[in-house]
PDB file of all heavy atoms in Angstrom:
ATOM      1  N   THR T 139      79.836  27.670 -89.438  1.00  0.00           N
ATOM      2  CA  THR T 139      80.442  28.675 -90.321  1.00  0.00           C
ATOM      3  C   THR T 139      79.369  29.496 -91.031  1.00  0.00           C
ATOM      4  O   THR T 139      79.541  30.699 -91.248  1.00  0.00           O
ATOM      5  CB  THR T 139      81.370  28.011 -91.353  1.00  0.00           C
ATOM      6  OG1 THR T 139      80.648  26.996 -92.079  1.00  0.00           O
ATOM      7  CG2 THR T 139      82.575  27.380 -90.673  1.00  0.00           C
ATOM      8  N   ARG T 140      78.265  28.859 -91.402  1.00  0.00           N
ATOM      9  CA  ARG T 140      77.172  29.628 -92.017  1.00  0.00           C
ATOM     10  C   ARG T 140      76.584  30.612 -91.011  1.00  0.00           C
ATOM     11  O   ARG T 140      76.213  31.731 -91.367  1.00  0.00           O
ATOM     12  CB  ARG T 140      76.087  28.686 -92.549  1.00  0.00           C
ATOM     13  CG  ARG T 140      76.530  27.841 -93.725  1.00  0.00           C
ATOM     14  CD  ARG T 140      75.350  27.169 -94.414  1.00  0.00           C
ATOM     15  NE  ARG T 140      74.640  26.240 -93.550  1.00  0.00           N
ATOM     16  CZ  ARG T 140      74.959  24.964 -93.395  1.00  0.00           C
ATOM     17  NH1 ARG T 140      76.001  24.457 -94.040  1.00  0.00           N
ATOM     18  NH2 ARG T 140      74.248  24.171 -92.598  1.00  0.00           N
ATOM     19  N   TRP T 141      76.493  30.196 -89.751  1.00  0.00           N
ATOM     20  CA  TRP T 141      75.971  31.066 -88.697  1.00  0.00           C
ATOM     21  C   TRP T 141      76.897  32.261 -88.478  1.00  0.00           C
ATOM     22  O   TRP T 141      76.450  33.401 -88.389  1.00  0.00           O
ATOM     23  CB  TRP T 141      75.819  30.256 -87.413  1.00  0.00           C
ATOM     24  CG  TRP T 141      75.173  30.999 -86.281  1.00  0.00           C
ATOM     25  CD1 TRP T 141      73.842  31.109 -86.011  1.00  0.00           C
ATOM     26  CD2 TRP T 141      75.853  31.737 -85.251  1.00  0.00           C
ATOM     27  NE1 TRP T 141      73.636  31.865 -84.880  1.00  0.00           N
ATOM     28  CE2 TRP T 141      74.856  32.267 -84.390  1.00  0.00           C
ATOM     29  CE3 TRP T 141      77.196  31.996 -84.975  1.00  0.00           C
ATOM     30  CZ2 TRP T 141      75.172  33.045 -83.279  1.00  0.00           C
ATOM     31  CZ3 TRP T 141      77.512  32.775 -83.865  1.00  0.00           C
ATOM     32  CH2 TRP T 141      76.503  33.286 -83.030  1.00  0.00           C
ATOM     33  N   LEU T 142      78.196  32.002 -88.416  1.00  0.00           N
ATOM     34  CA  LEU T 142      79.162  33.070 -88.166  1.00  0.00           C
ATOM     35  C   LEU T 142      79.228  34.067 -89.324  1.00  0.00           C
ATOM     36  O   LEU T 142      79.416  35.269 -89.117  1.00  0.00           O
ATOM     37  CB  LEU T 142      80.552  32.467 -87.928  1.00  0.00           C
ATOM     38  CG  LEU T 142      80.742  31.685 -86.625  1.00  0.00           C
ATOM     39  CD1 LEU T 142      82.087  30.971 -86.630  1.00  0.00           C
ATOM     40  CD2 LEU T 142      80.633  32.614 -85.415  1.00  0.00           C
ATOM     41  N   LEU T 143      79.077  33.574 -90.548  1.00  0.00           N
ATOM     42  CA  LEU T 143      79.219  34.422 -91.741  1.00  0.00           C
ATOM     43  C   LEU T 143      77.872  34.866 -92.304  1.00  0.00           C
ATOM     44  O   LEU T 143      77.805  35.336 -93.439  1.00  0.00           O
ATOM     45  CB  LEU T 143      80.000  33.664 -92.817  1.00  0.00           C
ATOM     46  CG  LEU T 143      81.440  33.294 -92.445  1.00  0.00           C
ATOM     47  CD1 LEU T 143      82.036  32.349 -93.475  1.00  0.00           C
ATOM     48  CD2 LEU T 143      82.296  34.554 -92.324  1.00  0.00           C
ATOM     49  N   ASN T 144      76.832  34.734 -91.510  1.00  0.00           N
ATOM     50  CA  ASN T 144      75.479  34.975 -92.015  1.00  0.00           C
ATOM     51  C   ASN T 144      75.314  36.348 -92.657  1.00  0.00           C
ATOM     52  O   ASN T 144      74.629  36.494 -93.668  1.00  0.00           O
ATOM     53  CB  ASN T 144      74.471  34.816 -90.874  1.00  0.00           C
ATOM     54  CG  ASN T 144      73.044  35.008 -91.339  1.00  0.00           C
ATOM     55  OD1 ASN T 144      72.511  34.205 -92.094  1.00  0.00           O
ATOM     56  ND2 ASN T 144      72.411  36.097 -90.896  1.00  0.00           N
ATOM     57  N   ARG T 145      75.944  37.377 -92.080  1.00  0.00           N
ATOM     58  CA  ARG T 145      75.784  38.729 -92.614  1.00  0.00           C
ATOM     59  C   ARG T 145      76.240  38.842 -94.063  1.00  0.00           C
ATOM     60  O   ARG T 145      75.755  39.686 -94.811  1.00  0.00           O
ATOM     61  CB  ARG T 145      76.567  39.732 -91.765  1.00  0.00           C
ATOM     62  CG  ARG T 145      75.893  40.107 -90.460  1.00  0.00           C
ATOM     63  CD  ARG T 145      76.612  41.261 -89.807  1.00  0.00           C
ATOM     64  NE  ARG T 145      75.873  41.775 -88.670  1.00  0.00           N
ATOM     65  CZ  ARG T 145      76.224  42.865 -87.992  1.00  0.00           C
ATOM     66  NH1 ARG T 145      77.298  43.538 -88.357  1.00  0.00           N
ATOM     67  NH2 ARG T 145      75.503  43.275 -86.967  1.00  0.00           N
ATOM     68  N   PHE T 146      77.189  38.004 -94.438  1.00  0.00           N
ATOM     69  CA  PHE T 146      77.727  38.079 -95.793  1.00  0.00           C
ATOM     70  C   PHE T 146      77.067  37.082 -96.738  1.00  0.00           C
ATOM     71  O   PHE T 146      77.458  36.986 -97.902  1.00  0.00           O
ATOM     72  CB  PHE T 146      79.239  37.823 -95.766  1.00  0.00           C
ATOM     73  CG  PHE T 146      80.002  38.886 -95.034  1.00  0.00           C
ATOM     74  CD1 PHE T 146      80.305  38.749 -93.694  1.00  0.00           C
ATOM     75  CD2 PHE T 146      80.400  40.040 -95.686  1.00  0.00           C
ATOM     76  CE1 PHE T 146      81.002  39.732 -93.009  1.00  0.00           C
ATOM     77  CE2 PHE T 146      81.098  41.030 -95.016  1.00  0.00           C
ATOM     78  CZ  PHE T 146      81.397  40.879 -93.670  1.00  0.00           C
ATOM     79  N   MET T 147      76.077  36.351 -96.257  1.00  0.00           N
ATOM     80  CA  MET T 147      75.471  35.297 -97.054  1.00  0.00           C
ATOM     81  C   MET T 147      74.157  35.705 -97.708  1.00  0.00           C
ATOM     82  O   MET T 147      73.489  34.890 -98.322  1.00  0.00           O
ATOM     83  CB  MET T 147      75.233  34.050 -96.183  1.00  0.00           C
ATOM     84  CG  MET T 147      76.511  33.374 -95.706  1.00  0.00           C
ATOM     85  SD  MET T 147      77.495  32.689 -97.076  1.00  0.00           S
ATOM     86  CE  MET T 147      78.819  33.900 -97.187  1.00  0.00           C
ATOM     87  N   HIS T 148      73.768  36.968 -97.585  1.00  0.00           N
ATOM     88  CA  HIS T 148      72.560  37.439 -98.252  1.00  0.00           C
ATOM     89  C   HIS T 148      72.870  37.728 -99.723  1.00  0.00           C
ATOM     90  O   HIS T 148      73.986  38.114-100.081  1.00  0.00           O
ATOM     91  CB  HIS T 148      72.009  38.682 -97.557  1.00  0.00           C
ATOM     92  CG  HIS T 148      71.496  38.406 -96.174  1.00  0.00           C
ATOM     93  ND1 HIS T 148      70.221  37.953 -95.927  1.00  0.00           N
ATOM     94  CD2 HIS T 148      72.106  38.486 -94.958  1.00  0.00           C
ATOM     95  CE1 HIS T 148      70.058  37.784 -94.628  1.00  0.00           C
ATOM     96  NE2 HIS T 148      71.188  38.094 -94.020  1.00  0.00           N
ATOM     97  N   THR T 149      71.878  37.568-100.558  1.00  0.00           N
ATOM     98  CA  THR T 149      72.087  37.635-102.003  1.00  0.00           C
ATOM     99  C   THR T 149      72.724  38.945-102.444  1.00  0.00           C
ATOM    100  O   THR T 149      73.679  38.949-103.228  1.00  0.00           O
ATOM    101  CB  THR T 149      70.745  37.434-102.727  1.00  0.00           C
ATOM    102  OG1 THR T 149      70.228  36.145-102.385  1.00  0.00           O
ATOM    103  CG2 THR T 149      70.926  37.508-104.231  1.00  0.00           C
ATOM    104  N   LYS T 150      72.221  40.070-101.960  1.00  0.00           N
ATOM    105  CA  LYS T 150      72.747  41.366-102.388  1.00  0.00           C
ATOM    106  C   LYS T 150      74.228  41.502-102.060  1.00  0.00           C
ATOM    107  O   LYS T 150      75.030  41.938-102.890  1.00  0.00           O
ATOM    108  CB  LYS T 150      71.953  42.494-101.727  1.00  0.00           C
ATOM    109  CG  LYS T 150      72.458  43.886-102.074  1.00  0.00           C
ATOM    110  CD  LYS T 150      71.666  44.959-101.350  1.00  0.00           C
ATOM    111  CE  LYS T 150      72.232  46.340-101.653  1.00  0.00           C
ATOM    112  NZ  LYS T 150      71.486  47.408-100.944  1.00  0.00           N
ATOM    113  N   VAL T 151      74.599  41.118-100.848  1.00  0.00           N
ATOM    114  CA  VAL T 151      75.992  41.229-100.413  1.00  0.00           C
ATOM    115  C   VAL T 151      76.881  40.306-101.234  1.00  0.00           C
ATOM    116  O   VAL T 151      77.939  40.696-101.739  1.00  0.00           O
ATOM    117  CB  VAL T 151      76.116  40.873 -98.917  1.00  0.00           C
ATOM    118  CG1 VAL T 151      77.547  41.063 -98.436  1.00  0.00           C
ATOM    119  CG2 VAL T 151      75.157  41.703 -98.092  1.00  0.00           C
ATOM    120  N   MET T 152      76.427  39.080-101.373  1.00  0.00           N
ATOM    121  CA  MET T 152      77.228  38.068-102.049  1.00  0.00           C
ATOM    122  C   MET T 152      77.449  38.415-103.521  1.00  0.00           C
ATOM    123  O   MET T 152      78.557  38.294-104.048  1.00  0.00           O
ATOM    124  CB  MET T 152      76.532  36.719-101.925  1.00  0.00           C
ATOM    125  CG  MET T 152      77.300  35.562-102.509  1.00  0.00           C
ATOM    126  SD  MET T 152      76.318  34.083-102.417  1.00  0.00           S
ATOM    127  CE  MET T 152      74.902  34.558-103.404  1.00  0.00           C
ATOM    128  N   TYR T 153      76.397  38.870-104.201  1.00  0.00           N
ATOM    129  CA  TYR T 153      76.533  39.185-105.620  1.00  0.00           C
ATOM    130  C   TYR T 153      77.396  40.425-105.833  1.00  0.00           C
ATOM    131  O   TYR T 153      78.114  40.520-106.826  1.00  0.00           O
ATOM    132  CB  TYR T 153      75.154  39.363-106.251  1.00  0.00           C
ATOM    133  CG  TYR T 153      74.465  38.047-106.558  1.00  0.00           C
ATOM    134  CD1 TYR T 153      74.997  36.841-106.107  1.00  0.00           C
ATOM    135  CD2 TYR T 153      73.291  37.997-107.285  1.00  0.00           C
ATOM    136  CE1 TYR T 153      74.379  35.638-106.369  1.00  0.00           C
ATOM    137  CE2 TYR T 153      72.661  36.788-107.561  1.00  0.00           C
ATOM    138  CZ  TYR T 153      73.209  35.616-107.095  1.00  0.00           C
ATOM    139  OH  TYR T 153      72.596  34.422-107.361  1.00  0.00           O
ATOM    140  N   HIS T 154      77.326  41.375-104.908  1.00  0.00           N
ATOM    141  CA  HIS T 154      78.216  42.536-104.991  1.00  0.00           C
ATOM    142  C   HIS T 154      79.672  42.073-104.913  1.00  0.00           C
ATOM    143  O   HIS T 154      80.507  42.461-105.734  1.00  0.00           O
ATOM    144  CB  HIS T 154      77.899  43.518-103.861  1.00  0.00           C
ATOM    145  CG  HIS T 154      78.732  44.762-103.889  1.00  0.00           C
ATOM    146  ND1 HIS T 154      78.636  45.743-102.936  1.00  0.00           N
ATOM    147  CD2 HIS T 154      79.692  45.188-104.748  1.00  0.00           C
ATOM    148  CE1 HIS T 154      79.490  46.714-103.207  1.00  0.00           C
ATOM    149  NE2 HIS T 154      80.151  46.401-104.296  1.00  0.00           N
TER     150      HIS T 154
END
Side-chain angles (χ1 to χ4, degrees):
T139 55
R140 292 193 297 273
W141 185 87
L142 291 171
L143 297 170
N144 182 68
R145 282 190 171 186
F146 295 93
M147 293 295 104
H148 293 275
T149 299
K150 178 182 177 181
V151 183
M152 184 185 60
Y153 281 9
H154 182 182

